[in-house]
Amino acid sequence: FELKVNYQNDAPVANNSVALVNKRFASSLFSSTFTLPDSLFTDPDTIYGDTLTLSLSNQPACMSLNSTTRVVTMNNCNVAEGTVVTVSVIATDAAGLTANRTFTTTFTNSSESTLTFNSNGGSSVSAMTGTIGSGISAPVTVRPAFAFGGWYLE
């Protein structure tokens, strides 16, 4: 008696519980990046060594995706103010089966950005507006019995 089991490839699955933030690019004149969550897609066949390759569809020519790092880059786009683009992220497995998710991006041509500060119990610090690509003088906050160590990104 011989029993032969044939492996059947399953398609990747889009994880709809992972929120894709509708990304607003700061300016079409500057570079901007964001990283897609690694849990955006799953594949039941990874236990058999199957891997997923990510790609984009319907993206502007200035948008690219590094499938290995999941970093989406927007570089020097010439897109009209207020343009809204819906882009699909596609996961393809080794057998060519796919799943996809979409996100929306809105282009703004403002070259200004507002920074807000959380002083974590220190003296209040007002929001600052500056031009993207130029430096600002970071404010200092005071909190009794603590030494200010600088600002950190969250």
Side-chain angles (χ1 to χ4, degrees):
F1 176 81
E2 182 179 318
L3 176 64
K4 186 175 182 179
V5 177
N6 290 326
Y7 162 76
Q8 181 172 343
N9 186 57
D10 293 309
V13 177
N15 187 348
N16 291 320
S17 65
V18 175
L20 272 180
V21 176
N22 289 340
K23 180 69 177 170
R24 178 177 293 274
F25 286 96
S27 172
S28 63
L29 306 175
F30 298 95
S31 296
S32 185
T33 63
F34 67 98
T35 303
L36 296 170
D38 58 0
S39 58
L40 187 58
F41 297 99
T42 58
D43 188 347
D45 300 314
T46 55
I47 61 172
Y48 304 113
D50 204 356
T51 58
L52 296 177
T53 301
L54 300 182
S55 60
L56 299 176
S57 174
N58 196 43
Q59 78 277 19
C62 58
M63 180 184 279
S64 63
L65 168 65
N66 180 318
S67 183
T68 304
T69 62
R70 301 177 326 282
V71 172
V72 176
T73 301
M74 186 77 73
N75 195 13
N76 298 322
C77 293
N78 185 17
V79 178
E81 169 80 18
T83 298
V84 177
V85 178
T86 301
V87 178
S88 291
V89 181
I90 303 165
T92 306
D93 70 9
L97 299 177
T98 64
N100 70 71
R101 288 283 310 273
T102 60
F103 68 92
T104 301
T105 184
T106 303
F107 290 88
T108 62
N109 288 329
S110 171
S111 61
E112 291 189 344
S113 185
T114 300
L115 298 172
T116 58
F117 302 89
N118 176 352
S119 61
N120 199 23
S123 57
S124 178
V125 176
S126 298
M128 299 175 73
T129 300
T131 302
I132 295 173
S134 66
I136 63 164
S137 296
V140 175
T141 184
V142 177
R143 184 174 176 187
F146 289 87
F148 179 67
W151 297 104
Y152 302 91
L153 294 175
E154 290 186 345

PDB file of all heavy atoms in Angstrom, residues 112-148:
ATOM      1  N   GLU A 112       6.201  73.503   4.038  1.00  0.00           N
ATOM      2  CA  GLU A 112       6.294  73.710   5.469  1.00  0.00           C
ATOM      3  C   GLU A 112       5.744  72.513   6.224  1.00  0.00           C
ATOM      4  O   GLU A 112       4.850  71.816   5.757  1.00  0.00           O
ATOM      5  CB  GLU A 112       5.536  74.970   5.890  1.00  0.00           C
ATOM      6  CG  GLU A 112       6.179  76.242   5.409  1.00  0.00           C
ATOM      7  CD  GLU A 112       5.530  77.461   6.015  1.00  0.00           C
ATOM      8  OE1 GLU A 112       4.409  77.355   6.561  1.00  0.00           O
ATOM      9  OE2 GLU A 112       6.153  78.526   5.953  1.00  0.00           O
ATOM     10  N   SER A 113       6.295  72.307   7.400  1.00  0.00           N
ATOM     11  CA  SER A 113       5.844  71.228   8.267  1.00  0.00           C
ATOM     12  C   SER A 113       5.826  71.769   9.694  1.00  0.00           C
ATOM     13  O   SER A 113       6.642  72.613  10.059  1.00  0.00           O
ATOM     14  CB  SER A 113       6.800  70.035   8.155  1.00  0.00           C
ATOM     15  OG  SER A 113       6.305  68.957   8.891  1.00  0.00           O
ATOM     16  N   THR A 114       4.886  71.272  10.492  1.00  0.00           N
ATOM     17  CA  THR A 114       4.783  71.706  11.882  1.00  0.00           C
ATOM     18  C   THR A 114       5.276  70.593  12.802  1.00  0.00           C
ATOM     19  O   THR A 114       4.857  69.443  12.667  1.00  0.00           O
ATOM     20  CB  THR A 114       3.329  72.081  12.237  1.00  0.00           C
ATOM     21  OG1 THR A 114       2.916  73.139  11.368  1.00  0.00           O
ATOM     22  CG2 THR A 114       3.212  72.530  13.678  1.00  0.00           C
ATOM     23  N   LEU A 115       6.164  70.959  13.712  1.00  0.00           N
ATOM     24  CA  LEU A 115       6.671  70.019  14.702  1.00  0.00           C
ATOM     25  C   LEU A 115       5.984  70.302  16.027  1.00  0.00           C
ATOM     26  O   LEU A 115       5.855  71.464  16.427  1.00  0.00           O
ATOM     27  CB  LEU A 115       8.180  70.194  14.891  1.00  0.00           C
ATOM     28  CG  LEU A 115       9.056  69.930  13.691  1.00  0.00           C
ATOM     29  CD1 LEU A 115      10.490  70.324  13.993  1.00  0.00           C
ATOM     30  CD2 LEU A 115       8.981  68.463  13.321  1.00  0.00           C
ATOM     31  N   THR A 116       5.548  69.242  16.698  1.00  0.00           N
ATOM     32  CA  THR A 116       4.997  69.388  18.036  1.00  0.00           C
ATOM     33  C   THR A 116       5.899  68.629  18.996  1.00  0.00           C
ATOM     34  O   THR A 116       6.575  67.669  18.614  1.00  0.00           O
ATOM     35  CB  THR A 116       3.560  68.855  18.117  1.00  0.00           C
ATOM     36  OG1 THR A 116       3.553  67.483  17.717  1.00  0.00           O
ATOM     37  CG2 THR A 116       2.616  69.655  17.233  1.00  0.00           C
ATOM     38  N   PHE A 117       5.905  69.056  20.237  1.00  0.00           N
ATOM     39  CA  PHE A 117       6.816  68.505  21.225  1.00  0.00           C
ATOM     40  C   PHE A 117       6.034  68.011  22.436  1.00  0.00           C
ATOM     41  O   PHE A 117       5.115  68.682  22.900  1.00  0.00           O
ATOM     42  CB  PHE A 117       7.824  69.570  21.685  1.00  0.00           C
ATOM     43  CG  PHE A 117       8.641  70.136  20.560  1.00  0.00           C
ATOM     44  CD1 PHE A 117       8.200  71.239  19.850  1.00  0.00           C
ATOM     45  CD2 PHE A 117       9.841  69.554  20.209  1.00  0.00           C
ATOM     46  CE1 PHE A 117       8.952  71.766  18.817  1.00  0.00           C
ATOM     47  CE2 PHE A 117      10.605  70.069  19.173  1.00  0.00           C
ATOM     48  CZ  PHE A 117      10.162  71.178  18.471  1.00  0.00           C
ATOM     49  N   ASN A 118       6.408  66.842  22.955  1.00  0.00           N
ATOM     50  CA  ASN A 118       5.858  66.325  24.202  1.00  0.00           C
ATOM     51  C   ASN A 118       6.983  66.430  25.223  1.00  0.00           C
ATOM     52  O   ASN A 118       7.951  65.680  25.171  1.00  0.00           O
ATOM     53  CB  ASN A 118       5.411  64.871  24.035  1.00  0.00           C
ATOM     54  CG  ASN A 118       4.914  64.269  25.326  1.00  0.00           C
ATOM     55  OD1 ASN A 118       5.026  64.865  26.393  1.00  0.00           O
ATOM     56  ND2 ASN A 118       4.375  63.072  25.242  1.00  0.00           N
ATOM     57  N   SER A 119       6.868  67.359  26.159  1.00  0.00           N
ATOM     58  CA  SER A 119       7.948  67.605  27.113  1.00  0.00           C
ATOM     59  C   SER A 119       7.917  66.634  28.295  1.00  0.00           C
ATOM     60  O   SER A 119       8.729  66.744  29.206  1.00  0.00           O
ATOM     61  CB  SER A 119       7.907  69.049  27.604  1.00  0.00           C
ATOM     62  OG  SER A 119       6.685  69.297  28.270  1.00  0.00           O
ATOM     63  N   ASN A 120       6.976  65.697  28.293  1.00  0.00           N
ATOM     64  CA  ASN A 120       6.920  64.644  29.298  1.00  0.00           C
ATOM     65  C   ASN A 120       6.988  65.200  30.731  1.00  0.00           C
ATOM     66  O   ASN A 120       7.798  64.762  31.537  1.00  0.00           O
ATOM     67  CB  ASN A 120       8.033  63.627  29.051  1.00  0.00           C
ATOM     68  CG  ASN A 120       7.752  62.306  29.735  1.00  0.00           C
ATOM     69  OD1 ASN A 120       6.605  61.988  30.030  1.00  0.00           O
ATOM     70  ND2 ASN A 120       8.796  61.541  30.000  1.00  0.00           N
ATOM     71  N   GLY A 121       6.174  66.204  30.990  1.00  0.00           N
ATOM     72  CA  GLY A 121       6.125  66.777  32.332  1.00  0.00           C
ATOM     73  C   GLY A 121       7.017  67.984  32.510  1.00  0.00           C
ATOM     74  O   GLY A 121       7.003  68.624  33.561  1.00  0.00           O
ATOM     75  N   GLY A 122       7.816  68.312  31.509  1.00  0.00           N
ATOM     76  CA  GLY A 122       8.670  69.498  31.584  1.00  0.00           C
ATOM     77  C   GLY A 122       7.885  70.732  31.201  1.00  0.00           C
ATOM     78  O   GLY A 122       6.671  70.678  30.967  1.00  0.00           O
ATOM     79  N   SER A 123       8.578  71.864  31.143  1.00  0.00           N
ATOM     80  CA  SER A 123       7.909  73.106  30.780  1.00  0.00           C
ATOM     81  C   SER A 123       7.329  72.997  29.374  1.00  0.00           C
ATOM     82  O   SER A 123       7.848  72.286  28.523  1.00  0.00           O
ATOM     83  CB  SER A 123       8.887  74.282  30.874  1.00  0.00           C
ATOM     84  OG  SER A 123      10.015  74.056  30.052  1.00  0.00           O
ATOM     85  N   SER A 124       6.239  73.697  29.161  1.00  0.00           N
ATOM     86  CA  SER A 124       5.523  73.642  27.890  1.00  0.00           C
ATOM     87  C   SER A 124       6.390  74.174  26.746  1.00  0.00           C
ATOM     88  O   SER A 124       7.135  75.138  26.911  1.00  0.00           O
ATOM     89  CB  SER A 124       4.245  74.465  28.010  1.00  0.00           C
ATOM     90  OG  SER A 124       3.565  74.468  26.790  1.00  0.00           O
ATOM     91  N   VAL A 125       6.288  73.535  25.594  1.00  0.00           N
ATOM     92  CA  VAL A 125       7.025  73.961  24.410  1.00  0.00           C
ATOM     93  C   VAL A 125       6.013  74.140  23.291  1.00  0.00           C
ATOM     94  O   VAL A 125       5.233  73.238  22.984  1.00  0.00           O
ATOM     95  CB  VAL A 125       8.085  72.907  24.001  1.00  0.00           C
ATOM     96  CG1 VAL A 125       8.778  73.322  22.722  1.00  0.00           C
ATOM     97  CG2 VAL A 125       9.080  72.699  25.124  1.00  0.00           C
ATOM     98  N   SER A 126       6.020  75.301  22.667  1.00  0.00           N
ATOM     99  CA  SER A 126       5.087  75.603  21.585  1.00  0.00           C
ATOM    100  C   SER A 126       5.475  74.858  20.315  1.00  0.00           C
ATOM    101  O   SER A 126       6.651  74.577  20.074  1.00  0.00           O
ATOM    102  CB  SER A 126       5.082  77.104  21.287  1.00  0.00           C
ATOM    103  OG  SER A 126       4.646  77.810  22.419  1.00  0.00           O
ATOM    104  N   ALA A 127       4.479  74.553  19.497  1.00  0.00           N
ATOM    105  CA  ALA A 127       4.724  73.935  18.190  1.00  0.00           C
ATOM    106  C   ALA A 127       5.536  74.897  17.342  1.00  0.00           C
ATOM    107  O   ALA A 127       5.448  76.114  17.487  1.00  0.00           O
ATOM    108  CB  ALA A 127       3.399  73.605  17.513  1.00  0.00           C
ATOM    109  N   MET A 128       6.348  74.342  16.442  1.00  0.00           N
ATOM    110  CA  MET A 128       7.179  75.159  15.559  1.00  0.00           C
ATOM    111  C   MET A 128       6.886  74.767  14.118  1.00  0.00           C
ATOM    112  O   MET A 128       6.734  73.592  13.808  1.00  0.00           O
ATOM    113  CB  MET A 128       8.655  74.926  15.856  1.00  0.00           C
ATOM    114  CG  MET A 128       9.075  75.282  17.264  1.00  0.00           C
ATOM    115  SD  MET A 128      10.793  74.847  17.587  1.00  0.00           S
ATOM    116  CE  MET A 128      11.625  76.097  16.641  1.00  0.00           C
ATOM    117  N   THR A 129       6.834  75.769  13.251  1.00  0.00           N
ATOM    118  CA  THR A 129       6.649  75.521  11.824  1.00  0.00           C
ATOM    119  C   THR A 129       7.939  75.886  11.118  1.00  0.00           C
ATOM    120  O   THR A 129       8.532  76.932  11.388  1.00  0.00           O
ATOM    121  CB  THR A 129       5.482  76.356  11.267  1.00  0.00           C
ATOM    122  OG1 THR A 129       4.293  75.988  11.968  1.00  0.00           O
ATOM    123  CG2 THR A 129       5.281  76.102   9.784  1.00  0.00           C
ATOM    124  N   GLY A 130       8.376  74.990  10.236  1.00  0.00           N
ATOM    125  CA  GLY A 130       9.613  75.239   9.510  1.00  0.00           C
ATOM    126  C   GLY A 130       9.499  74.747   8.084  1.00  0.00           C
ATOM    127  O   GLY A 130       8.565  74.032   7.722  1.00  0.00           O
ATOM    128  N   THR A 131      10.465  75.113   7.279  1.00  0.00           N
ATOM    129  CA  THR A 131      10.523  74.698   5.885  1.00  0.00           C
ATOM    130  C   THR A 131      11.196  73.340   5.797  1.00  0.00           C
ATOM    131  O   THR A 131      12.259  73.133   6.399  1.00  0.00           O
ATOM    132  CB  THR A 131      11.302  75.728   5.047  1.00  0.00           C
ATOM    133  OG1 THR A 131      10.656  76.989   5.188  1.00  0.00           O
ATOM    134  CG2 THR A 131      11.337  75.331   3.584  1.00  0.00           C
ATOM    135  N   ILE A 132      10.582  72.416   5.065  1.00  0.00           N
ATOM    136  CA  ILE A 132      11.143  71.077   4.907  1.00  0.00           C
ATOM    137  C   ILE A 132      12.517  71.187   4.270  1.00  0.00           C
ATOM    138  O   ILE A 132      12.706  71.915   3.305  1.00  0.00           O
ATOM    139  CB  ILE A 132      10.216  70.198   4.052  1.00  0.00           C
ATOM    140  CG1 ILE A 132       8.901  69.978   4.792  1.00  0.00           C
ATOM    141  CG2 ILE A 132      10.864  68.860   3.720  1.00  0.00           C
ATOM    142  CD1 ILE A 132       7.840  69.283   3.996  1.00  0.00           C
ATOM    143  N   GLY A 133      13.469  70.483   4.837  1.00  0.00           N
ATOM    144  CA  GLY A 133      14.825  70.474   4.312  1.00  0.00           C
ATOM    145  C   GLY A 133      15.732  71.491   4.979  1.00  0.00           C
ATOM    146  O   GLY A 133      16.934  71.486   4.760  1.00  0.00           O
ATOM    147  N   SER A 134      15.171  72.370   5.794  1.00  0.00           N
ATOM    148  CA  SER A 134      16.009  73.333   6.517  1.00  0.00           C
ATOM    149  C   SER A 134      15.972  72.987   7.996  1.00  0.00           C
ATOM    150  O   SER A 134      15.069  72.319   8.480  1.00  0.00           O
ATOM    151  CB  SER A 134      15.518  74.757   6.285  1.00  0.00           C
ATOM    152  OG  SER A 134      14.247  74.934   6.864  1.00  0.00           O
ATOM    153  N   GLY A 135      16.970  73.442   8.718  1.00  0.00           N
ATOM    154  CA  GLY A 135      17.060  73.127  10.140  1.00  0.00           C
ATOM    155  C   GLY A 135      16.230  74.065  10.986  1.00  0.00           C
ATOM    156  O   GLY A 135      15.782  75.123  10.547  1.00  0.00           O
ATOM    157  N   ILE A 136      15.997  73.657  12.223  1.00  0.00           N
ATOM    158  CA  ILE A 136      15.354  74.514  13.213  1.00  0.00           C
ATOM    159  C   ILE A 136      16.222  74.487  14.459  1.00  0.00           C
ATOM    160  O   ILE A 136      17.056  73.596  14.640  1.00  0.00           O
ATOM    161  CB  ILE A 136      13.923  74.045  13.568  1.00  0.00           C
ATOM    162  CG1 ILE A 136      13.966  72.651  14.204  1.00  0.00           C
ATOM    163  CG2 ILE A 136      13.004  74.103  12.387  1.00  0.00           C
ATOM    164  CD1 ILE A 136      12.704  72.291  14.922  1.00  0.00           C
ATOM    165  N   SER A 137      16.044  75.453  15.305  1.00  0.00           N
ATOM    166  CA  SER A 137      16.720  75.452  16.601  1.00  0.00           C
ATOM    167  C   SER A 137      15.782  74.768  17.581  1.00  0.00           C
ATOM    168  O   SER A 137      14.712  75.298  17.901  1.00  0.00           O
ATOM    169  CB  SER A 137      17.016  76.879  17.058  1.00  0.00           C
ATOM    170  OG  SER A 137      17.923  77.483  16.164  1.00  0.00           O
ATOM    171  N   ALA A 138      16.162  73.588  18.022  1.00  0.00           N
ATOM    172  CA  ALA A 138      15.302  72.821  18.922  1.00  0.00           C
ATOM    173  C   ALA A 138      15.229  73.515  20.277  1.00  0.00           C
ATOM    174  O   ALA A 138      16.256  73.926  20.829  1.00  0.00           O
ATOM    175  CB  ALA A 138      15.825  71.403  19.078  1.00  0.00           C
ATOM    176  N   PRO A 139      14.028  73.667  20.813  1.00  0.00           N
ATOM    177  CA  PRO A 139      13.876  74.321  22.111  1.00  0.00           C
ATOM    178  C   PRO A 139      14.359  73.407  23.242  1.00  0.00           C
ATOM    179  O   PRO A 139      14.516  72.205  23.062  1.00  0.00           O
ATOM    180  CB  PRO A 139      12.361  74.544  22.197  1.00  0.00           C
ATOM    181  CG  PRO A 139      11.782  73.457  21.361  1.00  0.00           C
ATOM    182  CD  PRO A 139      12.773  73.225  20.251  1.00  0.00           C
ATOM    183  N   VAL A 140      14.569  74.002  24.393  1.00  0.00           N
ATOM    184  CA  VAL A 140      14.956  73.248  25.587  1.00  0.00           C
ATOM    185  C   VAL A 140      13.793  73.337  26.561  1.00  0.00           C
ATOM    186  O   VAL A 140      13.142  74.368  26.684  1.00  0.00           O
ATOM    187  CB  VAL A 140      16.237  73.828  26.218  1.00  0.00           C
ATOM    188  CG1 VAL A 140      16.564  73.129  27.523  1.00  0.00           C
ATOM    189  CG2 VAL A 140      17.395  73.712  25.248  1.00  0.00           C
ATOM    190  N   THR A 141      13.525  72.251  27.251  1.00  0.00           N
ATOM    191  CA  THR A 141      12.470  72.232  28.255  1.00  0.00           C
ATOM    192  C   THR A 141      13.108  72.056  29.628  1.00  0.00           C
ATOM    193  O   THR A 141      14.221  71.538  29.737  1.00  0.00           O
ATOM    194  CB  THR A 141      11.451  71.108  27.966  1.00  0.00           C
ATOM    195  OG1 THR A 141      10.384  71.175  28.916  1.00  0.00           O
ATOM    196  CG2 THR A 141      12.088  69.739  28.040  1.00  0.00           C
ATOM    197  N   VAL A 142      12.413  72.491  30.655  1.00  0.00           N
ATOM    198  CA  VAL A 142      12.936  72.399  32.017  1.00  0.00           C
ATOM    199  C   VAL A 142      11.959  71.598  32.864  1.00  0.00           C
ATOM    200  O   VAL A 142      10.743  71.797  32.801  1.00  0.00           O
ATOM    201  CB  VAL A 142      13.120  73.810  32.634  1.00  0.00           C
ATOM    202  CG1 VAL A 142      13.598  73.709  34.079  1.00  0.00           C
ATOM    203  CG2 VAL A 142      14.073  74.642  31.792  1.00  0.00           C
ATOM    204  N   ARG A 143      12.515  70.676  33.645  1.00  0.00           N
ATOM    205  CA  ARG A 143      11.720  69.905  34.600  1.00  0.00           C
ATOM    206  C   ARG A 143      12.564  69.755  35.859  1.00  0.00           C
ATOM    207  O   ARG A 143      13.684  69.224  35.777  1.00  0.00           O
ATOM    208  CB  ARG A 143      11.366  68.541  34.019  1.00  0.00           C
ATOM    209  CG  ARG A 143      10.468  67.719  34.911  1.00  0.00           C
ATOM    210  CD  ARG A 143      10.029  66.450  34.217  1.00  0.00           C
ATOM    211  NE  ARG A 143       9.249  65.612  35.098  1.00  0.00           N
ATOM    212  CZ  ARG A 143       8.849  64.394  34.801  1.00  0.00           C
ATOM    213  NH1 ARG A 143       9.139  63.876  33.629  1.00  0.00           N
ATOM    214  NH2 ARG A 143       8.137  63.703  35.654  1.00  0.00           N
ATOM    215  N   PRO A 144      12.055  70.234  36.976  1.00  0.00           N
ATOM    216  CA  PRO A 144      12.841  70.173  38.206  1.00  0.00           C
ATOM    217  C   PRO A 144      13.331  68.752  38.506  1.00  0.00           C
ATOM    218  O   PRO A 144      12.611  67.776  38.322  1.00  0.00           O
ATOM    219  CB  PRO A 144      11.861  70.648  39.290  1.00  0.00           C
ATOM    220  CG  PRO A 144      10.857  71.485  38.539  1.00  0.00           C
ATOM    221  CD  PRO A 144      10.748  70.841  37.178  1.00  0.00           C
ATOM    222  N   ALA A 145      14.589  68.661  38.927  1.00  0.00           N
ATOM    223  CA  ALA A 145      15.255  67.415  39.324  1.00  0.00           C
ATOM    224  C   ALA A 145      15.563  66.484  38.148  1.00  0.00           C
ATOM    225  O   ALA A 145      15.896  65.329  38.353  1.00  0.00           O
ATOM    226  CB  ALA A 145      14.445  66.672  40.387  1.00  0.00           C
ATOM    227  N   PHE A 146      15.439  66.962  36.893  1.00  0.00           N
ATOM    228  CA  PHE A 146      15.754  66.157  35.721  1.00  0.00           C
ATOM    229  C   PHE A 146      16.720  66.929  34.825  1.00  0.00           C
ATOM    230  O   PHE A 146      16.633  68.153  34.720  1.00  0.00           O
ATOM    231  CB  PHE A 146      14.493  65.822  34.912  1.00  0.00           C
ATOM    232  CG  PHE A 146      13.586  64.827  35.578  1.00  0.00           C
ATOM    233  CD1 PHE A 146      12.620  65.251  36.485  1.00  0.00           C
ATOM    234  CD2 PHE A 146      13.713  63.474  35.313  1.00  0.00           C
ATOM    235  CE1 PHE A 146      11.778  64.333  37.088  1.00  0.00           C
ATOM    236  CE2 PHE A 146      12.885  62.556  35.929  1.00  0.00           C
ATOM    237  CZ  PHE A 146      11.917  62.981  36.816  1.00  0.00           C
ATOM    238  N   ALA A 147      17.602  66.211  34.172  1.00  0.00           N
ATOM    239  CA  ALA A 147      18.506  66.833  33.194  1.00  0.00           C
ATOM    240  C   ALA A 147      17.915  66.594  31.800  1.00  0.00           C
ATOM    241  O   ALA A 147      17.564  65.463  31.455  1.00  0.00           O
ATOM    242  CB  ALA A 147      19.892  66.211  33.289  1.00  0.00           C
ATOM    243  N   PHE A 148      17.795  67.655  31.027  1.00  0.00           N
ATOM    244  CA  PHE A 148      17.247  67.539  29.677  1.00  0.00           C
ATOM    245  C   PHE A 148      18.270  66.848  28.788  1.00  0.00           C
ATOM    246  O   PHE A 148      19.396  67.305  28.617  1.00  0.00           O
ATOM    247  CB  PHE A 148      16.887  68.928  29.144  1.00  0.00           C
ATOM    248  CG  PHE A 148      16.344  68.923  27.740  1.00  0.00           C
ATOM    249  CD1 PHE A 148      15.109  68.345  27.475  1.00  0.00           C
ATOM    250  CD2 PHE A 148      17.062  69.462  26.698  1.00  0.00           C
ATOM    251  CE1 PHE A 148      14.592  68.329  26.182  1.00  0.00           C
ATOM    252  CE2 PHE A 148      16.561  69.473  25.395  1.00  0.00           C
ATOM    253  CZ  PHE A 148      15.324  68.888  25.153  1.00  0.00           C
TER     254      PHE A 148
END
